[in-house]
């Protein structure tokens, strides 16, 4: 940006803020509240961003067919954006200007206090949703022509409260103070149909037999845009979120009869679509409303894509060449069926032409191997809601199975296994179901996992048959995180230190971090690093004190596990270690097992459990019970504290991660697809204690395995042990320490003498232990002792922590997106 442009931008931010604040004050005169100031600041930024949006669209629309750059359409049911103001100001380079505006017009309130008032946009459950948000940041940064498509949920991820140690959920009314960032696009509005029936239509020349979908209810999809700025250019990316409203909001006949319930039926049905983000909860997954949300997202997004493509090129024949449609997990897997419907039924293309376009455009990322998370929907539900899509899926399946028959003649078992329709026998029940992963794979030209091990396991396990049929289709693209939010914004102290040592370029080219590796042994840098870490830990300690009333020692080792609560992530293993340590402190208060002083530790856990996931909720309760006992035991003092921070989310993560010394990434090997929290911690100078799982493996390889505390069975070991017959009881009987821990949980030590409260946990670990905590316990405790030993030598610890930072250059989402462009979205990936 030139100097005159900068001056102009400054001036326009100042005046836009002044105008927006005046508008706020006309509604609520007096001293403006921080919320009013926040809204005014957001409006001011939004107007500047919209100018950038308009010029970005102009550039992209004129990209032309001669040098075609494919536009990427990232379809995702979740975008976990967090707060926007701090990021927007940093990207625009206007933080100081905004503070000046606050000084002049808003009584000198501190910008930091205003930023803190912004509610998180928590329109996602966890890793998959946050990854989508990091990707939007990288789309902008790389200048990639793109649209992120999602839903405009009224209520995001539920708010977690804790009552008597138990999780209680309440609605996350994130828009109650307004939605100052969004921009409505009144001209981007499309009808989406549900229900009805399919009729033959001889005037419809496209599809053989000419089919047309009629009747049912029609819901209108209205576009609202959220603009995501680049930090090193004036490009932006777009998150387009669909809002549903009825095409027929009042049934006047019913209204005149006085039947208001009937009169508002359509409005209520439309509202339901915007209502709430589904929690990652397998027992809820069969709900019809979720399928409607998925279909709504897909149909509105593809109609938007087609309309734009026709505006730009006037033909659909090159649609597949110029557009990539990416499925973020199977949630938008209806996309190929809907695209076929639009092309064949509405735009009169032949089946073959439409199928070619669809296969060129569509690609799919798998984010989990957990069998319960693989979506399937009853055929019955499709018949009622999406009858035309069901016909199309049958036809896609027919063509696909013919191809399989030609490749593997006579293999009927294979046909049953790979069919897009599950005929029912495998489930025990007889209901036929649509397998969304099968549909996604068959309709895609590329399928990828999110870390090397995970991509390998996809090919070897859940997708093995498809990988044999189509070996070239399967790839890996390892996840990454945006350094703008997860280092520059979250950790100004470390950012300043890095700027002084290696310059500011790492924000755009994270690989620059490797330069700091050469300085890791430097005593002065180590001291500066420690000072930054200490300051971040003091901030977190203050937060813990205000939130929980617990006083923790900022000099203690901050040992952190923050993520969704799930058995496979093994928060329970962490808690077992806390109990073992507690018992060891009581047995020998003055000396640790190695004869030296105890290393004081603060164990921090945070995360939400799906509302119907009883075991996960019980684990939260156990954590609270153990914390109560340990934290109030005068014999322990600050040698050990356990704190559970409620209502985990993006903003809380931004405070916790920079303060961590130790990052817990302890999933059973082979279960965590990638992890991205692991990357954020290492980037902020925490050392990982982790299993050989997900992206931990590639991180260890990048930084040197000696810079990580690796423990436990590997994926093959887990497999082998399961095949041989795993008996967790043997581990408990053989290990006195483990036995004492299990006994304490079982005898009510942490449940006021009630042996029943945690019966389910003890029984499960003793008799089933599907995630092999018992097998990994001893090695985990041994790794924790190595952690203590290193932490006692603060220089050696800091050196390794700095080497962690230096090793993270490859884990930027910019690199991830560059790989998607090359391997998944580019023309030359079409084969
Ligand atoms: C499943 C369902 C099923 C029913 C309704 C709502 C819902 C929402 C989410 C999911 C699956 C979530 C899968 C997921 O988040 N996977 C995580 O993806 C991260 C990004 O690739 C990755 O780093 C994590 O390892 C992986 O667990």
């Amino acid at each position: 940006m030139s100097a005159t442009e900068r001056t102009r931008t400054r001036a326009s931010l100042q005046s836009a803020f002044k105008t927006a604040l005046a508008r706020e004050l006309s509604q609520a005169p007096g001293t403006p509240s921080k919320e009013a100031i926040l809204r005014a600041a957001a409006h001011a930024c939004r107007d500047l961003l919209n100018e950038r949006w308009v010029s970005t669209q102009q550039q992209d629309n004129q990209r032309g067919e001669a040098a075609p750059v494919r536009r990427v359409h990232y379809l995702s049911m979740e975008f976990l954006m967090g707060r926007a103001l701090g990021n927007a100001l940093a990207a625009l380079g206007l933080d100081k200007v905004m503070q000046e505006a606050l000084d002049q017009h808003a009584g000198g309130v501190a910008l930091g206090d205003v930023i803190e008032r912004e509610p998180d946009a928590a329109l996602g459950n966890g890793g998959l949703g946050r990854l989508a948000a990091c990707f939007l940041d990288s789309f902008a940064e790389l200048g990639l022509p793109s649209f992120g498509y999602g839903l405009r949920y009224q209520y995001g991820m539920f708010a977690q409260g804790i009552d008597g140690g138990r999780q209680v959920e309440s609605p996350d009314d994130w828009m109650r103070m307004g939605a100052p960032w969004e921009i409505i696009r009144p001209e981007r509005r499309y009808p989406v149909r549900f229900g009805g029936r399919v009729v033959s239509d001889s005037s419809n020349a496209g599809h053989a037999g000419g089919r047309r979908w009629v009747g049912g209810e029609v819901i209108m999809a209205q576009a609202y845009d959220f603009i995501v700025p680049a930090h090193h250019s004036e490009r932006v990316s777009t998150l387009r979120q669909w809002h549903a409203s009825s095409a027929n909001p009042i049934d006047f006949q019913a209204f005149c009869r006085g039947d208001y319930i009937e009169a508002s039926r359509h409005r209520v049905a439309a509202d339901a679509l915007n209502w709430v983000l589904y929690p990652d909860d397998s027992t809820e997954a069969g709900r019809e409303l979720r399928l409607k949300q998925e279909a709504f997202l897909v149909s509105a997004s593809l109609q938007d894509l087609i309309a734009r493509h026709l505006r730009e090129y006037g033909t659909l024949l090159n649609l597949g060449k110029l557009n990539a449609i990416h499925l973020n997990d199977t949630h938008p897997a209806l996309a190929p069926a809907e695209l076929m419907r639009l092309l064949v039924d509405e735009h009169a293309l032949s089946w073959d032409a439409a199928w070619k376009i669809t296969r060129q455009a569509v690609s799919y990322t798998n984010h989990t191997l957990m069998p319960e998370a693989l979506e399937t929907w009853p055929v019955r539900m499709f018949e009622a809601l999406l009858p035309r899509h069901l016909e199309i899926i049958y036809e896609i399946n027919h063509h696909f199975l013919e191809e399989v028959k030609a490749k593997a003649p006579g293999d009927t078992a294979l046909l049953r296994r790979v069919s897009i329709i599950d005929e029912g026998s495998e489930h025990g029940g007889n209901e036929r179901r649509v397998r969304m992963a099968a549909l996604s794979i068959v309709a895609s030209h590329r399928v990828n996992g999110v870390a090397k091990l995970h991509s390998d396991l996809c090919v070897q396990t859940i997708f093995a048959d498809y990988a044999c049929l189509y070996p070239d289709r399967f790839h890996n693209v390892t996840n990454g995180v945006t350094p703008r939010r997860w280092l520059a914004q979250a950790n100004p102290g470390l950012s300043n230190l890095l700027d002084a040592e290696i310059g500011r370029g790492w924000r755009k080219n994270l690989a620059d971090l490797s330069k700091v590796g050469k300085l890791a042994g430097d005593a002065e840098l180590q001291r500066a690093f420690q000072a930054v870490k200490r300051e971040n830990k003091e901030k977190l300690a203050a937060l813990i004190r205000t939130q929980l009333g617990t006083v923790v020692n900022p000099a203690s080792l901050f040992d952190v596990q923050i993520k969704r609560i799930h058995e496979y992530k093994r928060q329970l293993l962490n808690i077992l270690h806390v109990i073992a340590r507690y018992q060891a402190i009581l047995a020998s208060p003055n000396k640790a097992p190695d004869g030296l002083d105890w290393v004081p530790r603060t164990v921090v856990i945070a995360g939400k459990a799906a509302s119907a996931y009883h075991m996960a909720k019980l684990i939260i309760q156990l954590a609270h019970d153990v914390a109560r006992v340990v934290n109030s035991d005068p014999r322990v003092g600050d040698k050990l504290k356990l704190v559970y921070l409620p209502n985990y989310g993006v903003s809380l993560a931004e405070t916790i991660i920079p303060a961590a010394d130790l990052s817990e990434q302890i999933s059973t090997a082979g279960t965590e697809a990638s992890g991205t929290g692991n990357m954020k911690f290492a980037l902020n100078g925490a050392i990982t204690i982790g299993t050989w799982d997900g992206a931990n493996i590639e991180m260890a390889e990048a930084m040197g395995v000696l810079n990580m505390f690796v423990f436990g069975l590997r994926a093959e070991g887990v497999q082998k042990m399961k095949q041989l017959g795993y008996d967790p009881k043997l581990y408990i009987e053989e290990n006195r320490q483990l036995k004492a821990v299990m006994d304490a949980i079982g005898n009510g030590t942490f449940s006021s003498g009630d042996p029943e409260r945690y019966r389910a946990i003890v029984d499960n670990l003793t008799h089933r232990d599907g995630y092999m905590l018992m097998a990994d316990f001893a090695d985990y405790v041994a790794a924790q002792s190595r952690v203590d030993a290193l932490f006692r030598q603060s220089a050696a610890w800091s050196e390794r922590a700095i080497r962690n930072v230096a090793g993270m250059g490859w884990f930027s989402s910019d690199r991830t997106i560059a790989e998607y462009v090359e391997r998944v979205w580019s023309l030359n990936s079409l084969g």
Side-chain angles (χ1 to χ4, degrees), residues 78 125 127-128 278-280 290 331 367 450 479 568 672-675:
E78 308 194 3
N125 274 281
L128 167 150
Y278 268 84
D280 168 6
R290 166 86 183 179
H331 313 156
H367 292 269
V450 290
N479 285 165
Y568 84 78
E672 187 68 272
S674 162

Side-chain angles (χ1 to χ4, degrees), residues 78 125-129 131 278-282 284-285 290 294 329 331 365-368 372-373 375 450 479 568-569 671-677:
E78 308 194 3
N125 274 281
L128 167 150
L131 185 77
Y278 268 84
D280 168 6
D281 181 342
S282 41
E284 292 276 300
R290 166 86 183 179
E294 295 181 355
D329 219 297
H331 313 156
T365 299
N366 172 280
H367 292 269
T368 177
E372 67 267 26
E375 276 185 304
V450 290
N479 285 165
Y568 84 78
K569 295 178 186 282
T671 62
E672 187 68 272
S674 162
T676 48

Side-chain angles (χ1 to χ4, degrees), residues 388-463:
R388 179 63 183 132
H389 296 79
L390 185 61
E391 285 187 354
I392 291 172
I393 290 169
Y394 283 153
E395 183 145 357
I396 293 173
N397 199 33
H398 171 74
H399 289 287
F400 165 58
L401 293 180
E402 288 301 312
E403 207 180 310
V404 178
K405 278 184 207 157
K407 284 191 180 187
D411 194 344
T412 50
L414 176 67
L415 289 180
R416 231 190 347 268
R417 288 201 305 275
V418 298
S419 171
I420 298 172
I421 305 299
D422 177 351
E423 297 294 339
S425 50
E426 288 169 27
H427 278 273
N430 278 324
E431 195 166 42
R432 299 171 71 231
R433 301 178 75 90
V434 182
R435 294 166 167 155
M436 303 311 268
L439 176 59
S440 304
I441 295 168
V442 170
S444 293
H445 67 280
R446 284 285 189 267
V447 176
N448 74 283
V450 290
K452 251 191 226 148
L453 174 67
H454 170 238
S455 298
D456 288 346
L457 290 174
C458 279
V459 163
Q460 289 159 21
T461 64
I462 52 172
F463 299 150

